């Protein structure tokens, strides 16, 4: 095979697409198994945690640490064992081909196995002030950030199950949680809506959208300008936090038509493994998980993807002897793939 420019593609045993907690954990495990993985880390290298400030719930860091620092630690650990990185986005893939083809600009890479860990992107309202105050009162994750909002007044934007669940959860910390919704009809299931309505700390403002996130020059959220969706009139409400709960988009466009996706575009894996519908292609992290969406769950599934890929490569006879360290015992943890060194 030659590329459009005539150069031979660069071949790797394993290519990992994405460098959030899932991709970098897969890289650490694959590199320690001497698979010399290539991680195409994306233009948003490090993933979602690069956008945030303090992480208090990642095990092993009792004092917490900043999101970017955590991700630099992940990357350094992956590099230490022999992961190489390309800092760019993948533009095109052919995962049905043998070997699998991964294109980045003019450069073509091939691989015997591919791990997809391209994550998901939280939908935002689209305001400059919202972007500027992300991590300073604006959040897309109540599980992650709720703890920082003890005794504060909060707003949750959205009308689906996630918005109801986040609002109800946030009442553990906040004095008041106001759900702001554009209409008086909700996508949320009746049970979730009823639960939020029954909570005395939850209030609803209907027929309203957030027009501006205010900080009054403090650098942290102090209030919101709400716009009436019927007559356009505006008013201010005070709040120290805004949780945007209007959904997530998995980063899966690249794989449409090749990898099976559910109705919301998330990749489908063959639980309890990380296998996709294509042999030798594995998926981990938020790109295949709309339920948990946490750094630790993404990292856990990244570990599983590397082990699954290692076993797949062994099954096709493409594994260096040194990699046969059998991170686990096949008899105890069968994956359906051939056993390394068994
Ligand atoms: C503001 C915020 C705060 C959060 N706080 C916490 C917290 O406190 N604790 C916690 O556990 N979780 C937290 N989370 C959730 C956590 O960040 C995610 O669950 C986790 O990052 C998911 O990891 P991932 O590896 O699956 O994907 P991501 O982190 O989304 O990484 C995806 C990677 O794929 C790459 N990529 C995408 N498309 C391409 C492409 N075409 N080519 C190459 N690469 C590509 C991106 O560049 C990125 O490197 C937070 C999330 C946000 C947004």
């Amino acid at each position: 095979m030659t590329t459009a420019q005539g150069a031979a593609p660069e071949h790797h045993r394993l290519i990992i697409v994405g460098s959030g907690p899932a991709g970098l954990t897969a890289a650490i495990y694959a590199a320690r198994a001497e698979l010399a993985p290539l991680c195409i880390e994306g233009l948003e290298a490090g993933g979602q945690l690069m956008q945030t400030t303090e992480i208090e719930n990642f095990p092993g860091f009792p004092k917490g640490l900043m999101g970017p620092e955590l991700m630099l630690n992940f990357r350094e650990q992956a590099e230490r064992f022999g992961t190489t990185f390309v800092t760019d986005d993948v533009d095109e893939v052919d995962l049905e081909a043998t070997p699998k083809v991964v294109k980045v600009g003019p450069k073509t890479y091939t691989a015997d196995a591919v791990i997809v860990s391209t994550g998901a992107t939280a939908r935002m309202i689209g305001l400059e002030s919202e972007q500027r105050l992300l991590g300073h009162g604006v959040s897309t994750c109540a599980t992650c950030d709720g703890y920082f909002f003890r005794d504060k007044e909060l707003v949750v934007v959205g009308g689906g199950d996630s918005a109801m669940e986040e609002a109800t959860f946030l009442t553990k910390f906040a004095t008041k949680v106001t759900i702001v919704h554009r209409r008086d009809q909700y996508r949320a299931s009746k049970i979730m809506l009823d639960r939020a309505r029954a909570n005395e700390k939850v209030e609803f403002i209907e027929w309203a959208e957030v027009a501006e996130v205010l900080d009054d020059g403090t650098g942290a959220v102090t209030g919101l300008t709400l716009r009436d969706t019927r007559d356009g009139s505006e008013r201010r409400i005070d709040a120290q936090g805004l949780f945007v709960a209007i959904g997530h988009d998995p980063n899966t466009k690249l794989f449409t038509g090749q990898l099976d996706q559910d109705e919301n575009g998330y990749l489908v894996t063959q639980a309890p493994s990380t296998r996709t519908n294509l042999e030798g292609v594995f998926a981990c992290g938020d790109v295949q998980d709309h339920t948990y969406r946490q750094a630790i769950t993404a990292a856990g599934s990244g570990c599983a993807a590397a082990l699954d890929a290692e076993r797949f490569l062994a099954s096709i006879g493409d594994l260096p002897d040194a990699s046969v360290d059998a991170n686990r015992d096949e008899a105890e943890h069968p994956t359906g793939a051939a056993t390394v060194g068994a």
Side-chain angles (χ1 to χ4, degrees), residues 16-24 40-58 70-71 86 88-92 104 117-122 134-135 138-141 143-145 148 248 251-252 254-255 284-289 292-299 301:
I16 298 165
V17 185
S19 62
L24 290 179
I40 302 175
E41 60 183 346
L43 291 174
E44 288 175 20
Q48 295 171 58
L49 288 185
M50 299 301 280
Q51 302 167 23
T52 193
T53 47
E54 192 147 18
I55 309 292
E56 288 192 332
N57 58 8
F58 199 85
L70 177 63
M71 295 321 298
V86 170
D88 211 336
D89 277 345
V90 171
D91 300 308
E92 201 183 324
V104 180
S117 56
T118 48
T121 308
L134 195 62
V138 177
S139 173
T140 54
C141 178
T143 310
C144 313
D145 296 333
F148 298 119
H248 286 76
N251 301 319
T252 50
L254 197 58
F255 312 105
C284 53
D286 285 13
V287 75
Q288 50 83 59
D289 170 20
Y292 300 109
R293 286 200 292 252
Q294 290 294 290
I296 188 68
T297 50
S301 69

Side-chain angles (χ1 to χ4, degrees), residues 229-272:
T229 53
R230 294 163 300 185
D231 62 17
S233 61
E234 293 189 348
R235 64 168 162 141
R236 177 192 167 118
I237 61 166
D238 288 336
Q240 291 82 53
L242 168 65
F243 284 80
V244 183
I246 52 179
H248 286 76
D249 292 313
N251 301 319
T252 50
K253 279 205 186 88
L254 197 58
F255 312 105
T256 302
Q258 299 183 44
L259 297 182
D260 287 350
Q261 300 177 9
D262 70 12
E263 65 280 7
N264 295 313
Y266 285 85
L267 297 185
V268 175
T269 50
Q270 298 167 19

Side-chain angles (χ1 to χ4, degrees), residues 74-151:
F74 269 69
R75 194 182 191 280
E76 200 180 311
Q77 197 172 350
E79 203 165 22
R80 176 180 158 208
F81 296 109
T83 304
T84 51
F85 290 92
V86 170
T87 309
D88 211 336
D89 277 345
V90 171
D91 300 308
E92 201 183 324
V93 292
D94 183 353
L95 299 177
E96 283 156 332
T98 306
K100 295 160 198 327
V101 179
V102 176
K103 292 186 179 175
V104 180
K107 180 112 189 170
T108 300
Y109 299 89
T110 56
D112 299 317
V114 170
I115 293 177
V116 176
S117 56
T118 48
T121 308
R123 285 186 207 141
M124 304 300 287
I125 301 165
L127 302 168
E128 181 278 326
S129 52
E130 171 198 40
Q131 206 57 47
R132 181 166 41 83
L133 293 169
L134 195 62
H136 301 279
V138 177
S139 173
T140 54
C141 178
T143 310
C144 313
D145 296 333
Y147 191 82
F148 298 119
F149 291 87
R150 209 167 272 284
D151 300 327

Side-chain angles (χ1 to χ4, degrees), residues 296-314:
I296 188 68
T297 50
S301 69
C303 160
L307 295 173
D308 287 345
E310 188 185 349
R311 283 162 185 265
F312 167 75
L313 291 170

